[in-house]
Amino acid sequence: MFWKRWTEDDGTASLEFITVGMLLSVPLVYLIVALAQIQAGALAAEGAARNAARTIAMHGEAGFESAEVTTLLALTDAGFDDTDAELTVDCGELDCEQLGGTVTVTIAFVVPLPLVPPVLDLDTALGIPVEATATQPVSEHITEVQP
């Protein structure tokens, strides 16, 4: 009679379901949040690269500072503060103000994973690198480059 009470399974299915459900749902929710953060970083990098390429194509060499401001604005607008974004500009064989040329801008930065503490610089060490490239032609119909 005493051993029968220890071997019965009556009423434990709901408890097992809740326990296993919690153990499986916590990593799943973290994975969804992390993928959303990485997607936001990719979209921010793409928008920043496209706008920086347009700025340099329209303003030439004078647009480099505006391109950096545009990049920081796009990244902070997406929620990535104090990022060490690397902005690379390639005008090919021609000058950036040469009509008919192309401007290629590449932006690379690290998207930090959510809930990773910044202790010992773990947020950047465990981050996901994101890179975006955009190419913009310099119009041949512009008679003079606007400053």
Side-chain angles (χ1 to χ4, degrees):
M1 185 85 169
F2 178 74
W3 294 107
K4 185 177 181 185
R5 190 173 87 185
W6 288 101
T7 58
E8 290 179 356
D9 285 341
D10 295 342
T12 61
S14 61
L15 183 63
E16 291 172 359
F17 179 75
I18 290 172
T19 304
V20 172
M22 287 300 292
L23 289 175
L24 292 178
S25 66
V26 170
L28 184 65
V29 168
Y30 182 79
L31 179 67
I32 291 170
V33 171
L35 289 176
Q37 183 83 1
I38 295 167
Q39 181 67 28
L43 291 175
E46 179 66 31
R50 184 178 39 228
N51 288 332
R54 286 180 185 166
T55 302
I56 294 173
M58 287 176 57
H59 302 292
E61 299 286 336
F64 284 157
E65 289 181 24
S66 298
E68 290 178 4
V69 171
T70 302
T71 301
L72 289 177
L73 180 65
L75 294 179
T76 55
D77 188 36
F80 299 103
D81 295 330
D82 298 326
T83 57
D84 296 326
E86 181 181 333
L87 178 70
T88 306
V89 178
D90 182 25
C91 296
E93 300 164 358
L94 303 175
D95 187 22
C96 289
E97 297 178 357
Q98 184 74 29
L99 300 179
T102 59
V103 176
T104 301
V105 174
T106 302
I107 295 176
F109 71 101
V110 176
V111 176
L113 291 176
L115 303 175
V116 174
V119 177
L120 300 175
D121 204 24
L122 286 177
D123 54 344
T124 56
L126 296 176
I128 306 295
V130 174
E131 183 175 318
T133 303
T135 302
Q136 182 74 26
V138 179
S139 178
E140 295 179 0
H141 302 292
I142 298 175
T143 56
E144 67 180 56
V145 177
Q146 301 292 326

